[in-house]
Amino acid sequence: MSVQKPSLPKGTRDFGPIQMARRNFILDTIKDTFKIFGFQQLETPAMENLSTLTGKYGDEGDQLLFKILNSGDFLKNVNAEDLQLGTGTVLPKVSEKGLRYDLTVPFARYVVMNRNDITFPFKRFQIQPVWRADRPQRGRYREFYQCDADVVGTDSLVCELEILLMIKRVFVNLGITDYSIKINNRKILTGISEVIGEKGREGDLCVAIDKLDKIGWEKVQEELVQRNFGQNAIKQLEPVIDLKKSNGEKLEFLKTFLAASEIGIKGLEELGEVFNLLQAYGENESNIDFDVVLARGLSYYTGAIFEVKVNNVSIGSVSGGGRYDNLTGVFGLEGVSGVGFSFGVDRLYDVMEELGIFPVESLDQTKVLITHFDKNGFEYGLKVLNALRNNGVSSELYPEMAKIKKQFTYADKKEIPFVIILGDNEINEGSISLKNLKTGVQESMLLDELIKRFV
Amino acid sequence: MSVQKPSLPKGTRDFGPIQMARRNFILDTIKDTFKIFGFQQLETPAMENLSTLTGKYGDEGDQLLFKILNSGDFLKNVNAEDLQLGTGTVLPKVSEKGLRYDLTVPFARYVVMNRNDITFPFKRFQIQPVWRADRPQRGRYREFYQCDADVVGTDSLVCELEILLMIKRVFVNLGITDYSIKINNRKILTGISEVIGEKGREGDLCVAIDKLDKIGWEKVQEELVQRNFGQNAIKQLEPVIDLKKSNGEKLEFLKTFLAASEIGIKGLEELGEVFNLLQAYGENESNIDFDVVLARGLSYYTGAIFEVKVNNVSIGSVSGGGRYDNLTGVFGLEGVSGVGFSFGVDRLYDVMEELGIFPVESLDQTKVLITHFDKNGFEYGLKVLNALRNNGVSSELYPEMAKIKKQFTYADKKEIPFVIILGDNEINEGSISLKNLKTGVQESMLLDELIKRFV
């Protein structure tokens, strides 16, 4: 067998111990919140039939699907003529499965296949990797995790409330304080295009105003002109763009502005009700901003729209979602509406790294290394180890007879915060010496005291 | 877009809410133990370069690898002549990546690529799906999870001790009591074939005696004859086969039996030392059986061999592993030895289902559903919900105005054990009524009492 220098496929990553501990901190925080809110976990296979995947993500998405070669003699249905006709002809003959591209289509497939067994409203969350044959670049990978939560089978605005509450809870528990949850409603955008005399053109409108943050109102106006919005319409839009008020004041202003649009008023009522529910729950509006220009892939959403940004970091949005009307229509099941959102785990990781707020003590890793000078210390150490683990303390005994310096280096490199030293004195006294590697403080104590220290 | 009835690729499964809760119970139990013992988590990508995967699992394994079609114009290097030559010629031109087949080869690749950054001894665990294009059948899937833990970079027998301890801890925490951890040592098997005059033939010997449980000693003798073992050798083997004694007595017996084999004695010493360490740690030998005929894919292991069987269930082994000499040689890094084992998660799931021992109360799911009769109850319910969740209780408010029967059906189907009922009396008194859906008992209490009940 020839010896090779191994490498990773481009756009993919290993997650080593430190990265995993940090990722788990984020994912466990999110999972705990989902569970507290009654969401149940779903996992679907990495592979789906290509018939399930293709046509769901547009032409570009179809190109980015990773396809799996049929096993066995994959060429058995391919002839020279097919080869001449090219990949479009050959592909369906050599591949019938692809890798999961997102978590939404597999969820829709699951709901359709299990509709008779599912209890609706169905609150599901799903945290799994997805794969896209995108050109890899900084922050863009060919394998990355998605983390979705959806409720399907109810129009209740309690779902929208709970999305706000879950996001707030996750951010508190992650230690991120300076962030905004932007919320809007598709119906408000529809209403705005109605009242400015451009009915049905909320798509174009949103593409343009979505860039307000980046390019400013002047340039947005130019873009609206290019997209054939009338000068009058643009002028009417101005007060909406300028809306720098509290959530309640914005709602008040728009009640007048949208008075002529039934759907617009409906959107305002929905949004107002979400704020009412928030108050009834006993939670305040801090970090929640009604953003009239928030659009976010508008074609998909029919009600609430969410987006979360962390302030003062270089990373864009870290979470988003909204309400949709028809999750499963493409698989023949009509009338399954819902609301969902997702956390960008890689982005949250980058945010927390940029802010330097990963809490060392929360990372699950060895808390204590037991070191020893000789066979006596080693055997005494085994008993100490047993006691620590029985009390749930992650701990290790350095497994070999080695110089004490080597044992300490192991603790250092593995970022183990405490070392126990077992010399003859300790063995004779039935005590232990505990050294805090950060402060350098060393203390002598009995085993019982040690246990109390860590439990 | 045409409407399709969706389906799953054969050999793959969805894991719905109940299955996920149970699988998480098993996986969390295993992960907690790994962490208590100082193992660190690793995750590697689903896709590996085919150069990393091929040639590592034998010809049959290479056939069972799922290969990924190159993206873009995957036919660009394929001509009619290649097509004539068949899959062997075409494959390397249309595919350069494959799906992970096990967790060992990716681990070896990781160790080689990161050898300068890893702190040795390196204790890693890894829990991820693997994919094999096997013919699906009952209990055999094309996507399934593996759950591996290995220590590389030390010969210390503390590692073997810790594998025994981890298995015991996991089984206690899963609630499985009637099981055996079989342990043996490759060197003992080598020694046995030496002393019966069949030096170097431990491979053949083991293939035959591995079947002892299933076919009995008579048939094993016939197989040994077929494999050209002499009558004398077979006769000498008899007392070893018959060895129904305690672990200590077996060790004693073999000290005499293997006296002429240096390597055999070495194996006995290693095994004896593991038992000594077990005693020094303060743990007993219950559930641990020294099994002289345990072989398990012998070619791979060089020291300890482990296998775990649950008694009185239809499922075979649920865990196994051993010590090996050369993990990374195939990638050009010599001298990385280690010891590892894995849990069969699907099999543990089946065992626990067969035994009916999944603990309902440990499954993370909603504990309380709040039901209501009208808008007042709904709004009061929001505050109760807030209080429950603030105290870490998984809880839900039925999100719509609906008949109470419908709300109870939701709780029933979702297996939510408690329901809170909020009528006018409760709202006026600031109390709640709590109904236990299993016992039917309904009690009235203040909110504070409710919280205490669940925290």
Side-chain angles (χ1 to χ4, degrees), chain B residues 6 58-60 89 104 121 142 171 179 186 207 210 215 227 252 270 277 314 382 417 433:
Chain B
D59 286 346
E60 204 200 344
T89 304
T104 304
R142 292 184 148 195
F171 277 68
Y179 67 95
R186 156 73 181 250
V207 170
D210 226 13
I215 62 177
R227 289 175 184 269
E252 273 312 308
E270 287 179 8
L277 289 169
S314 58
L382 281 168
S433 283

PDB file of all heavy atoms in Angstrom, chain B residues 6 58-60 89 104 121 142 171 179 186 207 210 215 227 252 270 277 314 382 417 433:
ATOM      1  N   PRO B   6     -43.283  11.703  -1.922  1.00  0.00           N
ATOM      2  CA  PRO B   6     -41.876  11.570  -1.553  1.00  0.00           C
ATOM      3  C   PRO B   6     -41.600  10.239  -0.845  1.00  0.00           C
ATOM      4  O   PRO B   6     -42.489   9.624  -0.274  1.00  0.00           O
ATOM      5  CB  PRO B   6     -41.662  12.737  -0.605  1.00  0.00           C
ATOM      6  CG  PRO B   6     -42.993  13.011  -0.010  1.00  0.00           C
ATOM      7  CD  PRO B   6     -44.014  12.620  -1.044  1.00  0.00           C
ATOM      8  N   GLY B  58     -10.354  -3.152   2.530  1.00  0.00           N
ATOM      9  CA  GLY B  58     -10.380  -4.332   1.671  1.00  0.00           C
ATOM     10  C   GLY B  58     -11.194  -4.063   0.417  1.00  0.00           C
ATOM     11  O   GLY B  58     -11.844  -3.026   0.286  1.00  0.00           O
ATOM     12  N   ASP B  59     -11.147  -5.026  -0.532  1.00  0.00           N
ATOM     13  CA  ASP B  59     -11.852  -4.850  -1.809  1.00  0.00           C
ATOM     14  C   ASP B  59     -13.355  -4.676  -1.586  1.00  0.00           C
ATOM     15  O   ASP B  59     -13.988  -3.830  -2.212  1.00  0.00           O
ATOM     16  CB  ASP B  59     -11.624  -6.062  -2.714  1.00  0.00           C
ATOM     17  CG  ASP B  59     -10.211  -6.050  -3.294  1.00  0.00           C
ATOM     18  OD1 ASP B  59      -9.566  -4.988  -3.185  1.00  0.00           O
ATOM     19  OD2 ASP B  59      -9.777  -7.077  -3.813  1.00  0.00           O
ATOM     20  N   GLU B  60     -13.905  -5.485  -0.672  1.00  0.00           N
ATOM     21  CA  GLU B  60     -15.344  -5.412  -0.439  1.00  0.00           C
ATOM     22  C   GLU B  60     -15.724  -4.036   0.099  1.00  0.00           C
ATOM     23  O   GLU B  60     -16.701  -3.442  -0.328  1.00  0.00           O
ATOM     24  CB  GLU B  60     -15.766  -6.504   0.540  1.00  0.00           C
ATOM     25  CG  GLU B  60     -17.236  -6.882   0.399  1.00  0.00           C
ATOM     26  CD  GLU B  60     -17.771  -7.566   1.642  1.00  0.00           C
ATOM     27  OE1 GLU B  60     -16.968  -8.024   2.487  1.00  0.00           O
ATOM     28  OE2 GLU B  60     -18.993  -7.621   1.792  1.00  0.00           O
ATOM     29  N   THR B  89     -12.235   2.457 -14.992  1.00  0.00           N
ATOM     30  CA  THR B  89     -11.555   3.553 -15.690  1.00  0.00           C
ATOM     31  C   THR B  89     -12.296   4.879 -15.493  1.00  0.00           C
ATOM     32  O   THR B  89     -11.676   5.932 -15.319  1.00  0.00           O
ATOM     33  CB  THR B  89     -11.472   3.257 -17.208  1.00  0.00           C
ATOM     34  OG1 THR B  89     -10.832   2.002 -17.370  1.00  0.00           O
ATOM     35  CG2 THR B  89     -10.706   4.346 -17.951  1.00  0.00           C
ATOM     36  N   THR B 104     -12.636   5.393  12.149  1.00  0.00           N
ATOM     37  CA  THR B 104     -11.236   5.091  12.458  1.00  0.00           C
ATOM     38  C   THR B 104     -10.287   5.731  11.446  1.00  0.00           C
ATOM     39  O   THR B 104      -9.301   6.370  11.819  1.00  0.00           O
ATOM     40  CB  THR B 104     -11.010   3.567  12.503  1.00  0.00           C
ATOM     41  OG1 THR B 104     -11.927   3.008  13.452  1.00  0.00           O
ATOM     42  CG2 THR B 104      -9.596   3.239  12.917  1.00  0.00           C
ATOM     43  N   PRO B 121      -0.766  11.656  25.638  1.00  0.00           N
ATOM     44  CA  PRO B 121      -1.768  10.757  25.078  1.00  0.00           C
ATOM     45  C   PRO B 121      -3.032  11.515  24.689  1.00  0.00           C
ATOM     46  O   PRO B 121      -3.497  12.361  25.446  1.00  0.00           O
ATOM     47  CB  PRO B 121      -2.068   9.771  26.207  1.00  0.00           C
ATOM     48  CG  PRO B 121      -0.984   9.964  27.219  1.00  0.00           C
ATOM     49  CD  PRO B 121      -0.408  11.311  27.021  1.00  0.00           C
ATOM     50  N   ARG B 142     -27.953   1.722   5.608  1.00  0.00           N
ATOM     51  CA  ARG B 142     -26.914   2.346   4.782  1.00  0.00           C
ATOM     52  C   ARG B 142     -26.369   3.608   5.440  1.00  0.00           C
ATOM     53  O   ARG B 142     -25.320   4.103   5.041  1.00  0.00           O
ATOM     54  CB  ARG B 142     -27.490   2.653   3.397  1.00  0.00           C
ATOM     55  CG  ARG B 142     -27.778   1.380   2.629  1.00  0.00           C
ATOM     56  CD  ARG B 142     -28.256   1.664   1.232  1.00  0.00           C
ATOM     57  NE  ARG B 142     -27.807   0.601   0.354  1.00  0.00           N
ATOM     58  CZ  ARG B 142     -27.800   0.669  -0.973  1.00  0.00           C
ATOM     59  NH1 ARG B 142     -28.221   1.754  -1.585  1.00  0.00           N
ATOM     60  NH2 ARG B 142     -27.354  -0.332  -1.694  1.00  0.00           N
ATOM     61  N   PHE B 171     -23.491   1.281  31.352  1.00  0.00           N
ATOM     62  CA  PHE B 171     -24.559   0.293  31.544  1.00  0.00           C
ATOM     63  C   PHE B 171     -25.359   0.569  32.817  1.00  0.00           C
ATOM     64  O   PHE B 171     -26.579   0.441  32.818  1.00  0.00           O
ATOM     65  CB  PHE B 171     -23.994  -1.135  31.514  1.00  0.00           C
ATOM     66  CG  PHE B 171     -23.824  -1.654  30.115  1.00  0.00           C
ATOM     67  CD1 PHE B 171     -22.874  -1.114  29.272  1.00  0.00           C
ATOM     68  CD2 PHE B 171     -24.658  -2.636  29.618  1.00  0.00           C
ATOM     69  CE1 PHE B 171     -22.728  -1.552  27.963  1.00  0.00           C
ATOM     70  CE2 PHE B 171     -24.526  -3.088  28.299  1.00  0.00           C
ATOM     71  CZ  PHE B 171     -23.562  -2.543  27.479  1.00  0.00           C
ATOM     72  N   TYR B 179     -25.390  -8.237  31.845  1.00  0.00           N
ATOM     73  CA  TYR B 179     -24.526  -8.184  30.668  1.00  0.00           C
ATOM     74  C   TYR B 179     -23.146  -8.700  31.045  1.00  0.00           C
ATOM     75  O   TYR B 179     -22.814  -8.792  32.232  1.00  0.00           O
ATOM     76  CB  TYR B 179     -24.422  -6.739  30.162  1.00  0.00           C
ATOM     77  CG  TYR B 179     -23.688  -5.832  31.113  1.00  0.00           C
ATOM     78  CD1 TYR B 179     -22.316  -5.579  30.957  1.00  0.00           C
ATOM     79  CD2 TYR B 179     -24.343  -5.265  32.210  1.00  0.00           C
ATOM     80  CE1 TYR B 179     -21.638  -4.779  31.856  1.00  0.00           C
ATOM     81  CE2 TYR B 179     -23.665  -4.472  33.110  1.00  0.00           C
ATOM     82  CZ  TYR B 179     -22.309  -4.231  32.930  1.00  0.00           C
ATOM     83  OH  TYR B 179     -21.633  -3.451  33.836  1.00  0.00           O
ATOM     84  N   ARG B 186      -4.733 -10.624  22.726  1.00  0.00           N
ATOM     85  CA  ARG B 186      -4.202 -11.234  21.502  1.00  0.00           C
ATOM     86  C   ARG B 186      -2.956 -12.075  21.783  1.00  0.00           C
ATOM     87  O   ARG B 186      -2.743 -13.137  21.194  1.00  0.00           O
ATOM     88  CB  ARG B 186      -3.883 -10.126  20.499  1.00  0.00           C
ATOM     89  CG  ARG B 186      -2.856 -10.414  19.433  1.00  0.00           C
ATOM     90  CD  ARG B 186      -3.434 -11.364  18.382  1.00  0.00           C
ATOM     91  NE  ARG B 186      -2.452 -11.677  17.363  1.00  0.00           N
ATOM     92  CZ  ARG B 186      -2.514 -11.240  16.112  1.00  0.00           C
ATOM     93  NH1 ARG B 186      -3.511 -10.499  15.742  1.00  0.00           N
ATOM     94  NH2 ARG B 186      -1.597 -11.573  15.228  1.00  0.00           N
ATOM     95  N   VAL B 207     -10.641 -18.225  14.156  1.00  0.00           N
ATOM     96  CA  VAL B 207     -11.824 -18.331  13.305  1.00  0.00           C
ATOM     97  C   VAL B 207     -12.656 -19.519  13.766  1.00  0.00           C
ATOM     98  O   VAL B 207     -13.883 -19.454  13.864  1.00  0.00           O
ATOM     99  CB  VAL B 207     -11.434 -18.477  11.822  1.00  0.00           C
ATOM    100  CG1 VAL B 207     -12.663 -18.825  10.983  1.00  0.00           C
ATOM    101  CG2 VAL B 207     -10.791 -17.200  11.316  1.00  0.00           C
ATOM    102  N   ASP B 210     -13.906 -19.141  17.675  1.00  0.00           N
ATOM    103  CA  ASP B 210     -14.868 -18.053  17.792  1.00  0.00           C
ATOM    104  C   ASP B 210     -16.307 -18.576  17.706  1.00  0.00           C
ATOM    105  O   ASP B 210     -17.239 -17.951  18.194  1.00  0.00           O
ATOM    106  CB  ASP B 210     -14.623 -17.047  16.655  1.00  0.00           C
ATOM    107  CG  ASP B 210     -14.633 -15.607  17.169  1.00  0.00           C
ATOM    108  OD1 ASP B 210     -14.576 -15.421  18.403  1.00  0.00           O
ATOM    109  OD2 ASP B 210     -14.693 -14.679  16.356  1.00  0.00           O
ATOM    110  N   ILE B 215     -21.735 -23.355  17.716  1.00  0.00           N
ATOM    111  CA  ILE B 215     -21.779 -24.707  17.150  1.00  0.00           C
ATOM    112  C   ILE B 215     -21.278 -25.783  18.114  1.00  0.00           C
ATOM    113  O   ILE B 215     -21.458 -26.969  17.868  1.00  0.00           O
ATOM    114  CB  ILE B 215     -20.981 -24.776  15.813  1.00  0.00           C
ATOM    115  CG1 ILE B 215     -19.498 -24.462  16.021  1.00  0.00           C
ATOM    116  CG2 ILE B 215     -21.585 -23.803  14.794  1.00  0.00           C
ATOM    117  CD1 ILE B 215     -18.664 -24.587  14.744  1.00  0.00           C
ATOM    118  N   ARG B 227      -8.994 -27.352   8.935  1.00  0.00           N
ATOM    119  CA  ARG B 227      -7.966 -26.317   8.794  1.00  0.00           C
ATOM    120  C   ARG B 227      -6.572 -26.858   9.087  1.00  0.00           C
ATOM    121  O   ARG B 227      -5.640 -26.092   9.363  1.00  0.00           O
ATOM    122  CB  ARG B 227      -8.287 -25.135   9.723  1.00  0.00           C
ATOM    123  CG  ARG B 227      -9.489 -24.330   9.250  1.00  0.00           C
ATOM    124  CD  ARG B 227      -9.877 -23.240  10.213  1.00  0.00           C
ATOM    125  NE  ARG B 227     -11.081 -22.566   9.744  1.00  0.00           N
ATOM    126  CZ  ARG B 227     -11.080 -21.483   8.950  1.00  0.00           C
ATOM    127  NH1 ARG B 227      -9.949 -20.939   8.581  1.00  0.00           N
ATOM    128  NH2 ARG B 227     -12.209 -20.948   8.543  1.00  0.00           N
ATOM    129  N   GLU B 252      -4.352 -18.261  36.648  1.00  0.00           N
ATOM    130  CA  GLU B 252      -3.457 -19.229  37.288  1.00  0.00           C
ATOM    131  C   GLU B 252      -3.211 -20.430  36.375  1.00  0.00           C
ATOM    132  O   GLU B 252      -2.084 -20.842  36.137  1.00  0.00           O
ATOM    133  CB  GLU B 252      -4.047 -19.712  38.626  1.00  0.00           C
ATOM    134  CG  GLU B 252      -3.706 -18.841  39.808  1.00  0.00           C
ATOM    135  CD  GLU B 252      -2.220 -18.483  39.887  1.00  0.00           C
ATOM    136  OE1 GLU B 252      -1.377 -19.403  39.837  1.00  0.00           O
ATOM    137  OE2 GLU B 252      -1.902 -17.274  39.954  1.00  0.00           O
ATOM    138  N   GLU B 270      -0.204  -8.722  31.164  1.00  0.00           N
ATOM    139  CA  GLU B 270      -0.983  -7.525  30.827  1.00  0.00           C
ATOM    140  C   GLU B 270      -2.400  -7.624  31.371  1.00  0.00           C
ATOM    141  O   GLU B 270      -2.915  -6.694  32.005  1.00  0.00           O
ATOM    142  CB  GLU B 270      -1.040  -7.325  29.302  1.00  0.00           C
ATOM    143  CG  GLU B 270       0.277  -6.850  28.696  1.00  0.00           C
ATOM    144  CD  GLU B 270       0.215  -6.670  27.181  1.00  0.00           C
ATOM    145  OE1 GLU B 270      -0.895  -6.775  26.603  1.00  0.00           O
ATOM    146  OE2 GLU B 270       1.271  -6.443  26.575  1.00  0.00           O
ATOM    147  N   LEU B 277      -5.221  -3.215  38.481  1.00  0.00           N
ATOM    148  CA  LEU B 277      -5.586  -1.801  38.438  1.00  0.00           C
ATOM    149  C   LEU B 277      -7.052  -1.607  38.823  1.00  0.00           C
ATOM    150  O   LEU B 277      -7.412  -0.642  39.502  1.00  0.00           O
ATOM    151  CB  LEU B 277      -5.341  -1.222  37.036  1.00  0.00           C
ATOM    152  CG  LEU B 277      -3.874  -1.051  36.627  1.00  0.00           C
ATOM    153  CD1 LEU B 277      -3.764  -0.721  35.136  1.00  0.00           C
ATOM    154  CD2 LEU B 277      -3.214   0.049  37.456  1.00  0.00           C
ATOM    155  N   SER B 314     -32.149 -10.809  22.128  1.00  0.00           N
ATOM    156  CA  SER B 314     -31.856 -11.451  20.839  1.00  0.00           C
ATOM    157  C   SER B 314     -30.710 -10.776  20.096  1.00  0.00           C
ATOM    158  O   SER B 314     -30.293 -11.246  19.049  1.00  0.00           O
ATOM    159  CB  SER B 314     -33.116 -11.416  19.975  1.00  0.00           C
ATOM    160  OG  SER B 314     -33.535 -10.078  19.802  1.00  0.00           O
ATOM    161  N   LEU B 382     -50.126  32.612  29.835  1.00  0.00           N
ATOM    162  CA  LEU B 382     -48.834  33.123  29.352  1.00  0.00           C
ATOM    163  C   LEU B 382     -47.909  33.426  30.528  1.00  0.00           C
ATOM    164  O   LEU B 382     -46.702  33.167  30.471  1.00  0.00           O
ATOM    165  CB  LEU B 382     -49.042  34.382  28.509  1.00  0.00           C
ATOM    166  CG  LEU B 382     -49.499  34.174  27.057  1.00  0.00           C
ATOM    167  CD1 LEU B 382     -49.945  35.489  26.432  1.00  0.00           C
ATOM    168  CD2 LEU B 382     -48.370  33.564  26.226  1.00  0.00           C
ATOM    169  N   PRO B 417     -46.840  14.604  30.449  1.00  0.00           N
ATOM    170  CA  PRO B 417     -47.405  13.942  31.636  1.00  0.00           C
ATOM    171  C   PRO B 417     -48.362  14.805  32.463  1.00  0.00           C
ATOM    172  O   PRO B 417     -49.214  14.254  33.146  1.00  0.00           O
ATOM    173  CB  PRO B 417     -46.170  13.549  32.450  1.00  0.00           C
ATOM    174  CG  PRO B 417     -45.065  14.416  31.966  1.00  0.00           C
ATOM    175  CD  PRO B 417     -45.378  14.781  30.547  1.00  0.00           C
ATOM    176  N   SER B 433     -54.851  24.572  38.537  1.00  0.00           N
ATOM    177  CA  SER B 433     -55.196  23.165  38.760  1.00  0.00           C
ATOM    178  C   SER B 433     -54.243  22.315  37.936  1.00  0.00           C
ATOM    179  O   SER B 433     -54.095  22.548  36.730  1.00  0.00           O
ATOM    180  CB  SER B 433     -56.629  22.881  38.318  1.00  0.00           C
ATOM    181  OG  SER B 433     -57.522  23.374  39.275  1.00  0.00           O
TER     182      SER B 433
END
